[in-house]
Amino acid sequence: MKKLRKDSTCSTMAVKCYDEQLLTGERGLIEAIKAVSADEIQILAIHHNRSISKAHWHVIMKTSRREKKMRVVSTLKKLSIVFRDGIDDELWNNRGVETVGNFSNYATYLLHETEAAKKDGKESYDKKEYITNLMPDEVEKILDGYTVRSKSKISSNDYYDMARAAGYNLEDVNAFISGLGATNMKPTAEASIRKAYDYGVKSRMQKHERLHRLLISIVKPKTLDDKRLRYSIEKALDDKRLFVHRSGEPLFVEASTEVLVTDDRYLRHCTSNDYIVEIKDDIAGKVIWAGNIVIYIDSIAIKDGNCFVCSIENDKLICDIVPKFDAPNSEQERIKSEYLKFRDRFNAAYAEYAQVTITEKVDFSDINNYS
């Protein structure tokens, strides 16, 4: 999944919003969804109102024909959903509008029927609670993992076209392949699809679009428990696709991975710019990475100008050096907001580490007893 801009075009879109963003209220949203032709855009929406968090709407949609695209701003306007400039910026930047990835998986997740949702104690919802422009049997097919309203049988060339598009849109490649619904796929066929996906990613990389990454360097005190630091980082970013890398380990990272955590100076050099990068790894080969957050774990403070250089003082993350931004004000505000979110979640995780760590040792002295 990838965050969308208001001027973006896309084939899938997921929106999270509250009543404040519904220009014509709940009834207006429902009527607007019903008025959209399912032959153009397939829409599923649900009102999550049975938890302790503030009631909100999730709306997911996809174009019914692969060659067609939606323009974000006009599609939201069609549904009477308005993100107000200067008021709803944080909601927008905090995954308020993004691509869907695997449509079937996303739809199932919104019902809170996945194992992860059940483990988190989330209230489940019934598929009948969906607001949609689709027929009930079509909703059923989506939840079962099929693509509905397909005009013709999907050929191998279609799969390659879809894979190239998925790569260009930086979708999760594993979720994409799973979502194809192709049973008993041969390894050679999957390899070809992944090759087509990589071609799409490289096409996106060649556009040389600036990402404006959030780069954070955390200088680890010599006395600090490494596990506590890594626990706090991972906990702070557990809502994102994250890859944790240690120096000397292979870099098996996907292009769509959102966050990279590393202590490798070579990777620091490779990822400290604002563009999609191709990284040479001795084991993984050449990998392309398009994420927008890097957390560096350093032993000393390195002043490189484009990074928040931080230390830990009194169990709090302290920014000692603010980067010199070469970015529009809107991007600076977004990066600042993302840093503050990370800082607060990091501090909370750092404080709770002692509570979740097992301190009592298990007695292993009897492991050779047979009586």
Side-chain angles (χ1 to χ4, degrees), residues 1 11-17 29 33 36 41-46 48 57-63 70 75-76 79 81 96 98-111 130-134 139 142-143:
M1 292 172 284
S11 56
T12 66
M13 181 169 24
V15 180
K16 178 183 177 181
C17 62
L29 174 66
I33 290 172
V36 176
I41 303 175
Q42 302 168 26
I43 307 175
L44 291 172
I46 196 163
H48 281 176
W57 284 88
H58 288 280
V59 185
I60 61 173
M61 56 198 96
K62 64 180 292 188
T63 56
M70 297 177 283
T75 304
L76 292 177
L79 299 179
I81 299 174
E98 61 183 1
T99 57
V100 169
N102 185 294
F103 199 77
S104 176
N105 289 352
Y106 208 124
T108 303
Y109 173 78
L110 291 181
L111 297 179
Y130 269 129
I131 306 300
T132 182
N133 61 346
L134 296 167
V139 175
I142 287 175
L143 296 175

Side-chain angles (χ1 to χ4, degrees), residues 157-173:
N157 288 335
D158 290 328
Y159 280 135
Y160 300 147
D161 289 341
M162 293 164 64
R164 281 189 285 268
Y168 185 84
N169 292 324
L170 303 176
E171 296 178 20
D172 185 323
V173 62

Side-chain angles (χ1 to χ4, degrees), residues 178-216:
S178 175
L180 291 175
T183 57
N184 300 319
M185 182 184 294
K186 294 181 179 179
T188 52
E190 181 174 337
S192 296
I193 289 173
R194 287 182 179 272
K195 187 175 181 179
Y197 173 92
D198 291 341
Y199 181 89
V201 174
K202 288 184 178 179
S203 297
R204 181 64 173 268
M205 181 176 67
Q206 289 167 359
K207 289 192 70 176
H208 209 56
E209 299 170 326
R210 293 199 68 176
L211 301 173
H212 298 297
R213 287 193 169 105
L214 168 63
L215 308 177
I216 302 175

Side-chain angles (χ1 to χ4, degrees), residues 231-248:
Y231 170 87
S232 304
I233 293 172
E234 293 178 38
K235 184 75 172 180
L237 297 163
D238 63 4
D239 60 336
K240 300 181 182 296
R241 295 190 301 276
L242 176 145
F243 186 85
V244 179
H245 176 265
R246 293 176 185 268
S247 181

Side-chain angles (χ1 to χ4, degrees), residues 108-171:
T108 303
Y109 173 78
L110 291 181
L111 297 179
H112 291 167
E113 291 186 346
T114 62
E115 289 301 318
K118 292 176 181 178
K119 185 177 180 180
D120 291 340
K122 294 187 176 182
E123 291 283 346
S124 62
Y125 290 80
D126 192 274
K127 58 192 173 187
K128 294 179 181 178
E129 296 179 77
Y130 269 129
I131 306 300
T132 182
N133 61 346
L134 296 167
M135 300 298 290
D137 64 313
E138 292 177 319
V139 175
E140 198 73 52
K141 287 179 180 179
I142 287 175
L143 296 175
D144 286 341
Y146 296 97
T147 301
V148 303
R149 292 183 183 264
S150 176
K151 299 298 181 182
S152 59
K153 184 178 179 181
I154 297 178
S155 67
S156 296
N157 288 335
D158 290 328
Y159 280 135
Y160 300 147
D161 289 341
M162 293 164 64
R164 281 189 285 268
Y168 185 84
N169 292 324
L170 303 176
E171 296 178 20

Side-chain angles (χ1 to χ4, degrees), residues 53 57 61 88-89 125 155 174 200 256 290 295 297 310 329 340:
S53 60
W57 284 88
M61 56 198 96
D88 300 323
D89 294 350
Y125 290 80
S155 67
N174 295 311
S256 60
I295 310 295
I297 300 175
C310 304
N329 286 348
L340 292 174

